[in-house]
Amino acid sequence: MVEDWEKLDSEEIANYRIFKMRRDVRQSPRTGAEHSFFVLESPDWVNVVALTPEGKVVMIYQFRHGTAEITLEIPGGMVDPRENDPAEAIQRELLEETGYVAEEIIHIGTVAPNPAFLSNRCHTYLALNARWQQEPQFDGAEDIAVELIPIEEIAGLIGNGRISHALVVAAFYHYENYIKSR
């Protein structure tokens, strides 16, 4: 049976805009040896499968610096410290990035993006009856283009690698599970 590793020490090493890094010293319950682990503390993230009344998904293109590529994704972002519920972040991110608002927001799943070294969760929501309301309000580090894609094309876009962001693929997995359970 796998057991928890006792935390012996923890120290913050660095503090950046979108994450902090800490070093934890933990003791193996199996061997008793001490090991250092590095953890990125990041706020929870949200993403949203926003569907228009016509059955199209509100998708976005944006440049991602980690892979130096333009990716096809769903809207999303970090939960701000002032937001008590990730659903608040969904409403804000959807409007800011796309100019769309939705009549109904439903939580459909949560994943741990990489529990090996990230401390946060990514919450996925379904936004129903999404309608354009205003021009997007990008922050200074965003350049986004919006495209409406029929929901029935999503599986093919994942299959051919056009949608490759792991958290977006997970979001559509949650979406499929939600639809099957209804």
Side-chain angles (χ1 to χ4, degrees):
M1 179 58 116
V2 175
E3 298 177 36
D4 284 348
W5 289 44
E6 181 184 353
K7 186 188 297 185
L8 304 175
D9 190 32
S10 185
E11 67 175 314
E12 184 178 299
I13 295 173
N15 188 337
Y16 301 101
R17 184 175 65 84
I18 61 171
F19 64 86
K20 295 177 184 177
M21 180 183 284
R22 74 170 196 260
R23 182 177 72 84
D24 290 347
V25 178
R26 293 189 177 262
Q27 183 175 32
S28 168
R30 183 176 57 81
T31 67
E34 294 179 10
H35 300 272
S36 290
F37 298 94
F38 296 89
V39 177
L40 296 180
E41 294 178 357
S42 182
D44 280 2
W45 301 326
V46 292
N47 60 23
V48 58
V49 176
L51 292 175
T52 67
E54 299 79 30
K56 294 186 177 182
V57 183
V58 180
M59 302 286 294
I60 61 173
Y61 290 95
Q62 64 182 322
F63 183 81
R64 290 303 195 177
H65 296 274
T67 57
E69 298 172 328
I70 296 170
T71 60
L72 178 60
E73 304 177 6
I74 54 179
M78 292 190 298
V79 177
D80 287 346
R82 70 184 188 294
E83 294 167 325
N84 296 322
D85 181 348
E88 293 176 45
I90 280 300
Q91 306 261 21
R92 175 182 51 75
E93 289 287 345
L94 182 60
L95 184 61
E96 286 176 3
E97 292 187 354
T98 69
Y100 279 74
V101 295
E103 288 180 13
E104 186 176 6
I105 304 284
I106 304 164
H107 181 261
I108 59 173
T110 298
V111 294
N114 190 334
F117 65 91
L118 287 169
S119 65
N120 66 342
R121 302 275 190 251
C122 181
H123 308 278
T124 299
Y125 290 81
L126 175 61
L128 298 174
N129 295 315
R131 289 184 168 83
W132 188 86
Q133 179 173 310
Q134 67 183 38
E135 289 298 322
Q137 305 294 312
F138 307 133
D139 72 31
E142 288 179 320
D143 288 316
I144 294 172
V146 176
E147 182 175 348
L148 301 180
I149 297 177
I151 188 66
E152 54 274 358
E153 293 181 17
I154 298 299
L157 292 168
I158 292 170
N160 70 19
R162 186 64 193 102
I163 295 174
S164 62
H165 190 308
L167 296 176
V168 175
V169 173
F172 284 113
Y173 172 82
H174 288 306
Y175 171 78
E176 287 297 322
N177 281 343
Y178 175 80
I179 294 303
K180 288 178 185 175
S181 71
R182 296 186 78 215

